[in-house]
Amino acid sequence: MKTLRIWFGCSLGLALSMLFDWSYGFFAIMLPLFVVGKMERFSLPMLLMVVASAIWTTLLATFLVELFQPYPILLTVGVGMMMLVNCITMMKPKTYLFGFMGLFVGSIVLNYASYDFIDIEDFNVNLWVITIANIGICALAFWLFPAEEKSSDLSAISTPVKQDIDYIAQVAMGWIVSMAAFGIFQVADLYDSLSALASIIIIIAPMTLAGSMAVAKVRIIGTGLGCISGLGVQLILGQWFSQGVLYWLAFSIAMGIFCHWQTKGQIKSAIGFSAMSALSVPLTTAVIPEQKDAFFSILYRFSSIFISVTLTVMLIWVVHHGIRHQLLKPIRK
């Protein structure tokens, strides 16, 4: 049942994005995948938390850029405070989702809002509409495919913390890496590397070195599988790619196996999520029927994610050992 719930939610999200021509329709696919994958029973408070986090984060990030972009030091301080709060929030299972959404969406908005040619208000409104529509999508998915009787209320993500020193080290590591990503994307002209930025935040999400290393591996594997599926959809449809119904049908079929993996443990779930992201983003943003295909976009996505994941893991390793060394130094003395 859970596989059908996830698949239905993603397919319905795709259909709505096509029907209403949402500019960032891939969020309508990825949100049901992420949220329904974490819920065993319909939870309105959790869905409202997603909406609240999206609205609050987009407004805050946009405000910071609009107000302090001429003053890089003030902007860095403001962003640093926002990132720190999100990292601290991610350390508690009950507020993890709010913190992750804040870190993920906030990083994207901060990157987009810094470019004058990108309509950040359009992005924000699209995201708000999609998160609100996601409530109805999830509700309908659980109504059509009810939860099993013995399932738990929520598959909450937790970050293991044993001591205060672990807590401090994990928060510091997540904050330093997220701020490094912010700095790099502000200095470099990387507006078209959204997938690379998203990969960095996803790798940070476990808030531990071991967890980040594991996520990095499955991120690359999942991205490769998703890119292959995207190319397959494009090649199979061929000249019928512009036919909306056939496009939706082929896309939905390709999503099936990745939705099923969401119910098969943490490793397959992570691979499936990465694959869905690699499948969804190019086919919903780069394709212009009968004018432009997604072939080069898919290749660029895989190469940019591979490079960003590799560099991020190296940075996390250095930061982790540096922080542990500094924190343990007083104890050794």
Side-chain angles (χ1 to χ4, degrees):
M1 278 294 189
K2 187 172 183 179
T3 297
L4 293 175
R5 281 200 301 271
I6 298 172
W7 177 83
F8 175 82
C10 295
S11 298
L12 181 57
L14 172 63
L16 292 176
S17 69
M18 295 172 59
L19 181 62
F20 295 105
D21 195 25
W22 287 334
S23 301
Y24 302 92
F26 59 88
F27 280 118
I29 301 170
M30 299 307 296
L31 267 178
L33 178 74
F34 181 71
V35 176
V36 178
K38 297 302 175 186
M39 290 194 304
E40 298 297 341
R41 295 183 182 279
F42 181 76
S43 174
L44 183 59
M46 183 179 180
L47 293 169
L48 291 176
M49 184 185 295
V50 173
V51 176
S53 178
I55 295 175
W56 166 250
T57 303
T58 51
L59 289 176
L60 178 60
T62 304
F63 173 78
L64 287 173
V65 174
E66 293 292 335
L67 190 63
F68 296 121
Q69 192 169 22
Y71 314 101
I73 295 178
L74 293 178
L75 177 61
T76 303
V77 172
V79 172
M81 294 175 63
M82 184 184 79
M83 296 293 190
L84 181 60
V85 171
N86 288 327
C87 289
I88 293 173
T89 306
M90 288 173 66
M91 298 306 297
K92 297 181 180 180
K94 291 184 179 179
T95 56
Y96 178 93
L97 184 60
F98 189 91
F100 176 77
M101 284 289 294
L103 202 63
F104 184 83
V105 175
S107 297
I108 295 174
V109 174
L110 288 169
N111 183 39
Y112 274 1
S114 60
Y115 297 100
D116 294 333
F117 59 86
I118 293 180
D119 189 349
I120 194 61
E121 286 78 14
D122 177 67
F123 175 86
N124 292 345
V125 171
N126 267 270
L127 184 58
W128 298 347
V129 171
I130 290 172
T131 52
I132 293 173
N134 184 57
I135 297 177
I137 292 173
C138 293
L140 187 57
F142 274 93
W143 180 69
L144 291 174
F145 307 100
E148 294 80 2
E149 290 294 328
K150 297 182 180 180
S151 60
S152 57
D153 290 336
L154 178 65
S155 301
I157 306 174
S158 61
T159 52
V161 180
K162 298 179 180 180
Q163 302 174 358
D164 290 342
I165 190 172
D166 296 314
Y167 183 97
I168 296 171
Q170 290 174 216
V171 171
M173 184 187 73
W175 181 76
I176 291 173
V177 176
S178 61
M179 287 301 296
F182 166 73
I184 292 171
F185 276 80
Q186 286 294 306
V187 174
D189 189 17
L190 299 173
Y191 69 90
D192 58 345
S193 297
L194 176 62
S195 56
L197 178 59
S199 296
I200 294 173
I201 303 304
I202 290 173
I203 292 173
I204 298 172
M207 303 296 282
T208 62
L209 176 61
S212 295
M213 295 286 285
V215 170
K217 294 177 183 177
V218 300
R219 179 69 176 165
I220 293 175
I221 295 172
T223 300
L225 293 174
C227 289
I228 292 173
S229 298
L231 290 173
V233 169
Q234 187 169 278
L235 291 173
I236 291 172
L237 288 178
Q239 60 182 346
W240 295 291
F241 200 88
S242 59
Q243 300 296 319
V245 175
L246 293 178
Y247 168 79
W248 176 84
L249 182 60
F251 203 140
S252 297
I253 292 174
M255 291 191 295
I257 184 63
F258 303 136
C259 291
H260 179 61
W261 285 356
Q262 291 293 302
T263 66
K264 295 299 179 181
Q266 292 186 353
I267 295 178
K268 281 194 173 182
S269 176
I271 293 175
F273 185 87
S274 297
M276 279 287 285
S277 175
L279 171 67
S280 302
V281 176
L283 293 187
T284 57
T285 58
V287 173
I288 302 177
E290 299 180 356
Q291 297 183 39
K292 180 183 177 183
D293 62 28
F295 179 76
F296 291 106
S297 177
I298 290 172
L299 294 181
Y300 174 74
R301 178 178 180 81
F302 180 79
S303 60
S304 64
I305 287 178
F306 182 82
I307 294 172
S308 66
V309 166
T310 303
L311 295 177
T312 302
V313 168
M314 294 171 61
L315 177 60
I316 289 175
W317 188 90
V318 172
V319 171
H320 171 82
H321 287 283
I323 291 173
R324 302 291 294 191
H325 176 74
Q326 292 298 320
L327 290 177
L328 292 174
K329 187 185 295 184
I331 298 175
R332 289 170 183 154
K333 292 181 178 179

